[in-house]
Amino acid sequence: PEYPGPETPLKLEIVNQRFVKAVINSGRRYSYEEAQSVIESVAKNSPFDLTIGLDAFDEAVISMDFMAKMLRKERFKKGAISFEKKEVRFKLDSDGSPIGVYFKESKDSNKLIEEFMLLANRTVAEHIFKLKVIDKESSAGKVAIPFPYRVHDQPDEDKLKPFTVFAKKYGHKFDTSTPEKIAESFNQLLLDAKGKPEQQVLEQLGIRTMAKAVYTVNDIGHYGLAFEHYCHFTSPIRRYPDVLVHRVLQSVLQGNTINDKKMEEKCKHCSERERAAMDCERAGNKYKQVEYLKDHLGEVFEGVISGVA
């Protein structure tokens, strides 16, 4: 099959799923760069030409890349917003001093992993959402399992108004009649602004109009991803909410479901710590940027005004 073009029918759906405790038998380790070179080598020969010497592992990468592109396309069709936040990275010398600054680029191999992680997170959240737990204190008898969903509310109306006025000055129209139309307008704006001088400013200001994603037991869905149910499951070695998710899922698999009355309190704590970590990361980036520039005192650079306070 060819890579998904505009006319490719969207028929990707999960036909079977299992939730199990398992050990991964890793057949081969790919770096992102290695996987990317496999994807690019086949893209040159698309429609797929499997006579170019791919082994079974490379073929698996190509199949997953194809599916990831389909999943991504389907997600945007359903109203997901395609903000691609640029991450600042530093080249450091042996002493840890910055000798260069660059943007981290997200390529097909990164997006492949991203899509399957989103799918795993969504599938776990959907599975738990359907289940109920007996609550002796409730007159309803069975209630929803307290679970740390990752939710994202619709854009803030007060922040959206000045942004749409600002975007209009650059010729970008905005339809704010429904949440779906807002998402559509954002995607069109991001597409139209790509490569233009105002791109970075509009992207940054656009992100600021968005509500902040948080952890909570109140499952209102994830606006930015266009998912009805979502959680963070895939990174328990570096993110505590994922550990909470694993505990609930494991308890479900064992048939003795946790009915944690303090789950919302834990969610609130995790959201607060996430904000603190993000502030810390931003401060660290600013510090390194200033450290990099201290050796360039007196030099003149071109700049972009990205906000006014």
PDB file of all heavy atoms in Angstrom, residues 118-147:
ATOM      1  N   LEU A 118      -0.131   7.376  22.227  1.00  0.00           N
ATOM      2  CA  LEU A 118      -1.470   7.963  22.363  1.00  0.00           C
ATOM      3  C   LEU A 118      -2.540   6.875  22.312  1.00  0.00           C
ATOM      4  O   LEU A 118      -3.495   6.886  23.085  1.00  0.00           O
ATOM      5  CB  LEU A 118      -1.729   8.979  21.241  1.00  0.00           C
ATOM      6  CG  LEU A 118      -0.956  10.303  21.275  1.00  0.00           C
ATOM      7  CD1 LEU A 118      -1.237  11.116  20.014  1.00  0.00           C
ATOM      8  CD2 LEU A 118      -1.293  11.116  22.511  1.00  0.00           C
ATOM      9  N   LEU A 119      -2.347   5.925  21.397  1.00  0.00           N
ATOM     10  CA  LEU A 119      -3.320   4.837  21.241  1.00  0.00           C
ATOM     11  C   LEU A 119      -3.374   3.962  22.494  1.00  0.00           C
ATOM     12  O   LEU A 119      -4.456   3.596  22.959  1.00  0.00           O
ATOM     13  CB  LEU A 119      -2.952   3.988  20.012  1.00  0.00           C
ATOM     14  CG  LEU A 119      -3.906   2.850  19.652  1.00  0.00           C
ATOM     15  CD1 LEU A 119      -5.296   3.366  19.321  1.00  0.00           C
ATOM     16  CD2 LEU A 119      -3.352   2.044  18.478  1.00  0.00           C
ATOM     17  N   ALA A 120      -2.194   3.648  23.049  1.00  0.00           N
ATOM     18  CA  ALA A 120      -2.150   2.831  24.276  1.00  0.00           C
ATOM     19  C   ALA A 120      -2.813   3.575  25.436  1.00  0.00           C
ATOM     20  O   ALA A 120      -3.635   3.003  26.167  1.00  0.00           O
ATOM     21  CB  ALA A 120      -0.694   2.498  24.630  1.00  0.00           C
ATOM     22  N   ASN A 121      -2.489   4.845  25.587  1.00  0.00           N
ATOM     23  CA  ASN A 121      -3.081   5.658  26.664  1.00  0.00           C
ATOM     24  C   ASN A 121      -4.607   5.732  26.538  1.00  0.00           C
ATOM     25  O   ASN A 121      -5.333   5.576  27.515  1.00  0.00           O
ATOM     26  CB  ASN A 121      -2.511   7.084  26.618  1.00  0.00           C
ATOM     27  CG  ASN A 121      -1.063   7.146  27.054  1.00  0.00           C
ATOM     28  OD1 ASN A 121      -0.586   6.277  27.783  1.00  0.00           O
ATOM     29  ND2 ASN A 121      -0.349   8.168  26.623  1.00  0.00           N
ATOM     30  N   ARG A 122      -5.063   5.973  25.314  1.00  0.00           N
ATOM     31  CA  ARG A 122      -6.500   6.089  25.062  1.00  0.00           C
ATOM     32  C   ARG A 122      -7.220   4.762  25.343  1.00  0.00           C
ATOM     33  O   ARG A 122      -8.277   4.742  25.954  1.00  0.00           O
ATOM     34  CB  ARG A 122      -6.715   6.486  23.594  1.00  0.00           C
ATOM     35  CG  ARG A 122      -8.141   6.854  23.256  1.00  0.00           C
ATOM     36  CD  ARG A 122      -8.300   7.061  21.761  1.00  0.00           C
ATOM     37  NE  ARG A 122      -8.596   5.812  21.078  1.00  0.00           N
ATOM     38  CZ  ARG A 122      -8.515   5.647  19.762  1.00  0.00           C
ATOM     39  NH1 ARG A 122      -8.097   6.620  18.988  1.00  0.00           N
ATOM     40  NH2 ARG A 122      -8.833   4.497  19.214  1.00  0.00           N
ATOM     41  N   THR A 123      -6.615   3.656  24.897  1.00  0.00           N
ATOM     42  CA  THR A 123      -7.249   2.338  25.043  1.00  0.00           C
ATOM     43  C   THR A 123      -7.403   1.948  26.510  1.00  0.00           C
ATOM     44  O   THR A 123      -8.434   1.405  26.915  1.00  0.00           O
ATOM     45  CB  THR A 123      -6.418   1.265  24.283  1.00  0.00           C
ATOM     46  OG1 THR A 123      -6.221   1.705  22.938  1.00  0.00           O
ATOM     47  CG2 THR A 123      -7.136  -0.067  24.247  1.00  0.00           C
ATOM     48  N   VAL A 124      -6.386   2.237  27.319  1.00  0.00           N
ATOM     49  CA  VAL A 124      -6.459   1.933  28.752  1.00  0.00           C
ATOM     50  C   VAL A 124      -7.564   2.765  29.408  1.00  0.00           C
ATOM     51  O   VAL A 124      -8.374   2.246  30.179  1.00  0.00           O
ATOM     52  CB  VAL A 124      -5.100   2.193  29.453  1.00  0.00           C
ATOM     53  CG1 VAL A 124      -5.238   2.130  30.972  1.00  0.00           C
ATOM     54  CG2 VAL A 124      -4.062   1.172  28.987  1.00  0.00           C
ATOM     55  N   ALA A 125      -7.616   4.066  29.070  1.00  0.00           N
ATOM     56  CA  ALA A 125      -8.633   4.950  29.657  1.00  0.00           C
ATOM     57  C   ALA A 125     -10.043   4.501  29.269  1.00  0.00           C
ATOM     58  O   ALA A 125     -10.956   4.487  30.106  1.00  0.00           O
ATOM     59  CB  ALA A 125      -8.398   6.393  29.198  1.00  0.00           C
ATOM     60  N   GLU A 126     -10.221   4.105  28.013  1.00  0.00           N
ATOM     61  CA  GLU A 126     -11.536   3.628  27.548  1.00  0.00           C
ATOM     62  C   GLU A 126     -11.949   2.358  28.293  1.00  0.00           C
ATOM     63  O   GLU A 126     -13.106   2.189  28.667  1.00  0.00           O
ATOM     64  CB  GLU A 126     -11.496   3.358  26.038  1.00  0.00           C
ATOM     65  CG  GLU A 126     -11.491   4.630  25.193  1.00  0.00           C
ATOM     66  CD  GLU A 126     -11.254   4.356  23.713  1.00  0.00           C
ATOM     67  OE1 GLU A 126     -10.920   3.191  23.352  1.00  0.00           O
ATOM     68  OE2 GLU A 126     -11.382   5.297  22.903  1.00  0.00           O
ATOM     69  N   HIS A 127     -10.972   1.479  28.506  1.00  0.00           N
ATOM     70  CA  HIS A 127     -11.235   0.200  29.187  1.00  0.00           C
ATOM     71  C   HIS A 127     -11.699   0.433  30.623  1.00  0.00           C
ATOM     72  O   HIS A 127     -12.697  -0.136  31.070  1.00  0.00           O
ATOM     73  CB  HIS A 127      -9.968  -0.655  29.161  1.00  0.00           C
ATOM     74  CG  HIS A 127     -10.116  -1.983  29.842  1.00  0.00           C
ATOM     75  ND1 HIS A 127     -10.962  -2.962  29.372  1.00  0.00           N
ATOM     76  CD2 HIS A 127      -9.531  -2.487  30.971  1.00  0.00           C
ATOM     77  CE1 HIS A 127     -10.896  -4.026  30.180  1.00  0.00           C
ATOM     78  NE2 HIS A 127     -10.039  -3.750  31.150  1.00  0.00           N
ATOM     79  N   ILE A 128     -10.980   1.294  31.345  1.00  0.00           N
ATOM     80  CA  ILE A 128     -11.328   1.562  32.748  1.00  0.00           C
ATOM     81  C   ILE A 128     -12.649   2.318  32.854  1.00  0.00           C
ATOM     82  O   ILE A 128     -13.455   2.071  33.749  1.00  0.00           O
ATOM     83  CB  ILE A 128     -10.192   2.354  33.456  1.00  0.00           C
ATOM     84  CG1 ILE A 128      -8.884   1.548  33.463  1.00  0.00           C
ATOM     85  CG2 ILE A 128     -10.596   2.743  34.877  1.00  0.00           C
ATOM     86  CD1 ILE A 128      -8.905   0.259  34.269  1.00  0.00           C
ATOM     87  N   PHE A 129     -12.903   3.236  31.907  1.00  0.00           N
ATOM     88  CA  PHE A 129     -14.115   4.036  31.943  1.00  0.00           C
ATOM     89  C   PHE A 129     -15.382   3.163  31.904  1.00  0.00           C
ATOM     90  O   PHE A 129     -16.386   3.475  32.531  1.00  0.00           O
ATOM     91  CB  PHE A 129     -14.137   5.019  30.763  1.00  0.00           C
ATOM     92  CG  PHE A 129     -15.383   5.858  30.692  1.00  0.00           C
ATOM     93  CD1 PHE A 129     -15.548   6.957  31.515  1.00  0.00           C
ATOM     94  CD2 PHE A 129     -16.415   5.537  29.804  1.00  0.00           C
ATOM     95  CE1 PHE A 129     -16.699   7.725  31.470  1.00  0.00           C
ATOM     96  CE2 PHE A 129     -17.570   6.296  29.745  1.00  0.00           C
ATOM     97  CZ  PHE A 129     -17.714   7.393  30.582  1.00  0.00           C
ATOM     98  N   LYS A 130     -15.297   2.054  31.157  1.00  0.00           N
ATOM     99  CA  LYS A 130     -16.474   1.171  30.999  1.00  0.00           C
ATOM    100  C   LYS A 130     -16.781   0.364  32.256  1.00  0.00           C
ATOM    101  O   LYS A 130     -17.872  -0.173  32.408  1.00  0.00           O
ATOM    102  CB  LYS A 130     -16.241   0.204  29.833  1.00  0.00           C
ATOM    103  CG  LYS A 130     -16.237   0.875  28.465  1.00  0.00           C
ATOM    104  CD  LYS A 130     -15.804  -0.126  27.398  1.00  0.00           C
ATOM    105  CE  LYS A 130     -15.550   0.563  26.061  1.00  0.00           C
ATOM    106  NZ  LYS A 130     -14.886  -0.331  25.099  1.00  0.00           N
ATOM    107  N   LEU A 131     -15.795   0.238  33.138  1.00  0.00           N
ATOM    108  CA  LEU A 131     -15.961  -0.625  34.311  1.00  0.00           C
ATOM    109  C   LEU A 131     -16.592   0.135  35.479  1.00  0.00           C
ATOM    110  O   LEU A 131     -16.537   1.357  35.548  1.00  0.00           O
ATOM    111  CB  LEU A 131     -14.609  -1.192  34.742  1.00  0.00           C
ATOM    112  CG  LEU A 131     -13.838  -1.980  33.663  1.00  0.00           C
ATOM    113  CD1 LEU A 131     -12.472  -2.369  34.185  1.00  0.00           C
ATOM    114  CD2 LEU A 131     -14.610  -3.217  33.221  1.00  0.00           C
ATOM    115  N   LYS A 132     -17.159  -0.603  36.411  1.00  0.00           N
ATOM    116  CA  LYS A 132     -17.758  -0.011  37.618  1.00  0.00           C
ATOM    117  C   LYS A 132     -17.254  -0.789  38.834  1.00  0.00           C
ATOM    118  O   LYS A 132     -16.840  -1.940  38.746  1.00  0.00           O
ATOM    119  CB  LYS A 132     -19.287  -0.100  37.557  1.00  0.00           C
ATOM    120  CG  LYS A 132     -19.918   0.753  36.455  1.00  0.00           C
ATOM    121  CD  LYS A 132     -19.935   2.223  36.833  1.00  0.00           C
ATOM    122  CE  LYS A 132     -20.654   3.066  35.779  1.00  0.00           C
ATOM    123  NZ  LYS A 132     -19.834   3.345  34.605  1.00  0.00           N
ATOM    124  N   VAL A 133     -17.311  -0.123  39.985  1.00  0.00           N
ATOM    125  CA  VAL A 133     -16.874  -0.762  41.222  1.00  0.00           C
ATOM    126  C   VAL A 133     -17.996  -0.609  42.260  1.00  0.00           C
ATOM    127  O   VAL A 133     -18.718   0.389  42.278  1.00  0.00           O
ATOM    128  CB  VAL A 133     -15.545  -0.133  41.730  1.00  0.00           C
ATOM    129  CG1 VAL A 133     -15.723   1.326  42.078  1.00  0.00           C
ATOM    130  CG2 VAL A 133     -14.987  -0.898  42.906  1.00  0.00           C
ATOM    131  N   ILE A 134     -18.163  -1.618  43.113  1.00  0.00           N
ATOM    132  CA  ILE A 134     -19.201  -1.564  44.151  1.00  0.00           C
ATOM    133  C   ILE A 134     -18.778  -0.588  45.241  1.00  0.00           C
ATOM    134  O   ILE A 134     -17.668  -0.654  45.757  1.00  0.00           O
ATOM    135  CB  ILE A 134     -19.447  -2.968  44.758  1.00  0.00           C
ATOM    136  CG1 ILE A 134     -20.038  -3.894  43.685  1.00  0.00           C
ATOM    137  CG2 ILE A 134     -20.385  -2.893  45.957  1.00  0.00           C
ATOM    138  CD1 ILE A 134     -20.076  -5.353  44.072  1.00  0.00           C
ATOM    139  N   ASP A 135     -19.686   0.340  45.567  1.00  0.00           N
ATOM    140  CA  ASP A 135     -19.426   1.325  46.625  1.00  0.00           C
ATOM    141  C   ASP A 135     -20.531   1.195  47.675  1.00  0.00           C
ATOM    142  O   ASP A 135     -21.676   1.563  47.443  1.00  0.00           O
ATOM    143  CB  ASP A 135     -19.416   2.739  46.022  1.00  0.00           C
ATOM    144  CG  ASP A 135     -18.998   3.790  47.042  1.00  0.00           C
ATOM    145  OD1 ASP A 135     -18.833   3.425  48.230  1.00  0.00           O
ATOM    146  OD2 ASP A 135     -18.840   4.966  46.666  1.00  0.00           O
ATOM    147  N   LYS A 136     -20.165   0.652  48.831  1.00  0.00           N
ATOM    148  CA  LYS A 136     -21.150   0.408  49.898  1.00  0.00           C
ATOM    149  C   LYS A 136     -21.749   1.710  50.442  1.00  0.00           C
ATOM    150  O   LYS A 136     -22.855   1.728  50.963  1.00  0.00           O
ATOM    151  CB  LYS A 136     -20.497  -0.379  51.036  1.00  0.00           C
ATOM    152  CG  LYS A 136     -20.147  -1.811  50.632  1.00  0.00           C
ATOM    153  CD  LYS A 136     -19.300  -2.493  51.678  1.00  0.00           C
ATOM    154  CE  LYS A 136     -18.859  -3.872  51.202  1.00  0.00           C
ATOM    155  NZ  LYS A 136     -17.905  -4.502  52.132  1.00  0.00           N
ATOM    156  N   GLU A 137     -21.004   2.814  50.316  1.00  0.00           N
ATOM    157  CA  GLU A 137     -21.483   4.093  50.851  1.00  0.00           C
ATOM    158  C   GLU A 137     -22.431   4.810  49.878  1.00  0.00           C
ATOM    159  O   GLU A 137     -23.084   5.774  50.238  1.00  0.00           O
ATOM    160  CB  GLU A 137     -20.287   5.004  51.148  1.00  0.00           C
ATOM    161  CG  GLU A 137     -19.394   4.465  52.258  1.00  0.00           C
ATOM    162  CD  GLU A 137     -18.123   5.282  52.396  1.00  0.00           C
ATOM    163  OE1 GLU A 137     -18.132   6.466  52.006  1.00  0.00           O
ATOM    164  OE2 GLU A 137     -17.117   4.742  52.902  1.00  0.00           O
ATOM    165  N   SER A 138     -22.491   4.323  48.643  1.00  0.00           N
ATOM    166  CA  SER A 138     -23.311   5.005  47.640  1.00  0.00           C
ATOM    167  C   SER A 138     -24.644   4.285  47.450  1.00  0.00           C
ATOM    168  O   SER A 138     -24.689   3.055  47.413  1.00  0.00           O
ATOM    169  CB  SER A 138     -22.561   5.060  46.299  1.00  0.00           C
ATOM    170  OG  SER A 138     -23.399   5.495  45.270  1.00  0.00           O
ATOM    171  N   SER A 139     -25.705   5.064  47.302  1.00  0.00           N
ATOM    172  CA  SER A 139     -27.034   4.485  47.067  1.00  0.00           C
ATOM    173  C   SER A 139     -27.116   3.878  45.666  1.00  0.00           C
ATOM    174  O   SER A 139     -27.949   3.028  45.385  1.00  0.00           O
ATOM    175  CB  SER A 139     -28.110   5.560  47.228  1.00  0.00           C
ATOM    176  OG  SER A 139     -27.843   6.640  46.350  1.00  0.00           O
ATOM    177  N   ALA A 140     -26.215   4.343  44.784  1.00  0.00           N
ATOM    178  CA  ALA A 140     -26.211   3.822  43.412  1.00  0.00           C
ATOM    179  C   ALA A 140     -25.701   2.389  43.350  1.00  0.00           C
ATOM    180  O   ALA A 140     -25.905   1.685  42.368  1.00  0.00           O
ATOM    181  CB  ALA A 140     -25.356   4.718  42.528  1.00  0.00           C
ATOM    182  N   GLY A 141     -25.015   1.957  44.389  1.00  0.00           N
ATOM    183  CA  GLY A 141     -24.462   0.587  44.404  1.00  0.00           C
ATOM    184  C   GLY A 141     -23.136   0.519  43.679  1.00  0.00           C
ATOM    185  O   GLY A 141     -22.082   0.427  44.287  1.00  0.00           O
ATOM    186  N   LYS A 142     -23.176   0.614  42.347  1.00  0.00           N
ATOM    187  CA  LYS A 142     -21.938   0.579  41.564  1.00  0.00           C
ATOM    188  C   LYS A 142     -21.617   1.978  41.039  1.00  0.00           C
ATOM    189  O   LYS A 142     -22.494   2.687  40.542  1.00  0.00           O
ATOM    190  CB  LYS A 142     -22.077  -0.393  40.393  1.00  0.00           C
ATOM    191  CG  LYS A 142     -22.024  -1.862  40.818  1.00  0.00           C
ATOM    192  CD  LYS A 142     -21.864  -2.760  39.616  1.00  0.00           C
ATOM    193  CE  LYS A 142     -21.608  -4.206  40.056  1.00  0.00           C
ATOM    194  NZ  LYS A 142     -21.375  -5.097  38.922  1.00  0.00           N
ATOM    195  N   VAL A 143     -20.363   2.367  41.162  1.00  0.00           N
ATOM    196  CA  VAL A 143     -19.928   3.697  40.714  1.00  0.00           C
ATOM    197  C   VAL A 143     -18.686   3.562  39.833  1.00  0.00           C
ATOM    198  O   VAL A 143     -18.067   2.499  39.759  1.00  0.00           O
ATOM    199  CB  VAL A 143     -19.607   4.615  41.923  1.00  0.00           C
ATOM    200  CG1 VAL A 143     -20.860   4.888  42.734  1.00  0.00           C
ATOM    201  CG2 VAL A 143     -18.515   4.000  42.794  1.00  0.00           C
ATOM    202  N   ALA A 144     -18.332   4.665  39.171  1.00  0.00           N
ATOM    203  CA  ALA A 144     -17.131   4.667  38.324  1.00  0.00           C
ATOM    204  C   ALA A 144     -15.891   4.445  39.175  1.00  0.00           C
ATOM    205  O   ALA A 144     -15.818   4.883  40.329  1.00  0.00           O
ATOM    206  CB  ALA A 144     -17.030   5.999  37.586  1.00  0.00           C
ATOM    207  N   ILE A 145     -14.920   3.763  38.617  1.00  0.00           N
ATOM    208  CA  ILE A 145     -13.660   3.515  39.329  1.00  0.00           C
ATOM    209  C   ILE A 145     -12.875   4.828  39.425  1.00  0.00           C
ATOM    210  O   ILE A 145     -12.645   5.484  38.396  1.00  0.00           O
ATOM    211  CB  ILE A 145     -12.806   2.461  38.582  1.00  0.00           C
ATOM    212  CG1 ILE A 145     -13.522   1.110  38.572  1.00  0.00           C
ATOM    213  CG2 ILE A 145     -11.416   2.332  39.202  1.00  0.00           C
ATOM    214  CD1 ILE A 145     -12.888   0.082  37.665  1.00  0.00           C
ATOM    215  N   PRO A 146     -12.466   5.253  40.632  1.00  0.00           N
ATOM    216  CA  PRO A 146     -11.627   6.462  40.737  1.00  0.00           C
ATOM    217  C   PRO A 146     -10.319   6.240  39.975  1.00  0.00           C
ATOM    218  O   PRO A 146      -9.569   5.308  40.281  1.00  0.00           O
ATOM    219  CB  PRO A 146     -11.371   6.583  42.244  1.00  0.00           C
ATOM    220  CG  PRO A 146     -12.469   5.799  42.885  1.00  0.00           C
ATOM    221  CD  PRO A 146     -12.762   4.662  41.941  1.00  0.00           C
ATOM    222  N   PHE A 147     -10.079   7.072  38.988  1.00  0.00           N
ATOM    223  CA  PHE A 147      -8.990   6.826  38.035  1.00  0.00           C
ATOM    224  C   PHE A 147      -8.396   8.159  37.591  1.00  0.00           C
ATOM    225  O   PHE A 147      -9.135   9.122  37.348  1.00  0.00           O
ATOM    226  CB  PHE A 147      -9.570   6.078  36.826  1.00  0.00           C
ATOM    227  CG  PHE A 147      -8.560   5.643  35.803  1.00  0.00           C
ATOM    228  CD1 PHE A 147      -7.692   4.598  36.072  1.00  0.00           C
ATOM    229  CD2 PHE A 147      -8.498   6.269  34.565  1.00  0.00           C
ATOM    230  CE1 PHE A 147      -6.761   4.173  35.113  1.00  0.00           C
ATOM    231  CE2 PHE A 147      -7.576   5.864  33.601  1.00  0.00           C
ATOM    232  CZ  PHE A 147      -6.713   4.811  33.876  1.00  0.00           C
TER     233      PHE A 147
END
